[in-house]
Amino acid sequence: MENQALSIMRPQVARIESYPEVARRLEQHIKETEGQIGRIDELLDQFGADSSTLKDFALSFSGSMAAMGHTIAGDEILKNSFANFAFENFEIAAYKSLLILAELGGHGNVTCARLANLKEEQAMAQWLDENVAAVTTRFASLKEDGRTAKA
């Protein structure tokens, strides 16, 4: 899931020209996501498991394709904002479920890493939610002025 998130965010941030605040927040969340992957890998090591390389590749590939699909849209920044908000909430639900499963399985000791990941996802979702109006207003302003509203 986190590798998929990276494959979505990295192409987006590389294309952003007119929305520096979005680029800065995505760059911050990319770093957070890399840290989340590290925490997950540590937990997998504790349990003698590893992530599925094939599954990671497939999810990363599908994330890249999703990100590329928006590049042809005139409102790419808006579509990316909506998709990112939806994906962050998907991650939030997944981490909440994992916390419950860990507790039910008697592994309450692994919740710290999951809680850290969950809090970062919640913060990103909140930022996206709070900035939808600003991004939409900037998009409309650029279009109205006849300037390109390139992501």
Side-chain angles (χ1 to χ4, degrees), residues 63-73 76 79-80:
S64 295
M65 293 299 101
M68 287 178 57
H70 294 166
T71 62
I72 59 173
E76 175 185 0
K79 285 184 172 50
N80 285 345

Side-chain angles (χ1 to χ4, degrees), residues 72-121:
I72 59 173
D75 60 349
E76 175 185 0
I77 190 69
L78 298 179
K79 285 184 172 50
N80 285 345
S81 293
F82 308 154
N84 290 347
F85 182 74
F87 194 78
E88 292 303 324
N89 281 283
F90 173 83
E91 289 178 302
I92 289 166
Y95 280 121
K96 285 181 176 182
S97 181
L98 286 171
L99 283 165
I100 293 166
L101 291 171
E103 192 68 34
L104 291 172
H107 300 287
N109 59 324
V110 302
T111 59
C112 288
R114 300 267 194 255
L115 280 173
N117 289 10
L118 174 62
K119 288 181 188 297
E120 289 170 353
E121 300 305 350

Side-chain angles (χ1 to χ4, degrees), residues 26-53:
L26 281 174
E27 288 167 349
Q28 177 186 341
H29 197 55
I30 286 169
K31 287 183 177 103
E32 290 171 347
T33 302
E34 290 166 344
Q36 292 169 6
I37 290 169
R39 288 191 288 267
I40 291 167
D41 286 344
E42 287 175 14
L43 287 174
L44 290 172
D45 285 346
Q46 287 178 16
F47 289 99
D50 61 2
S51 62
S52 164
T53 304

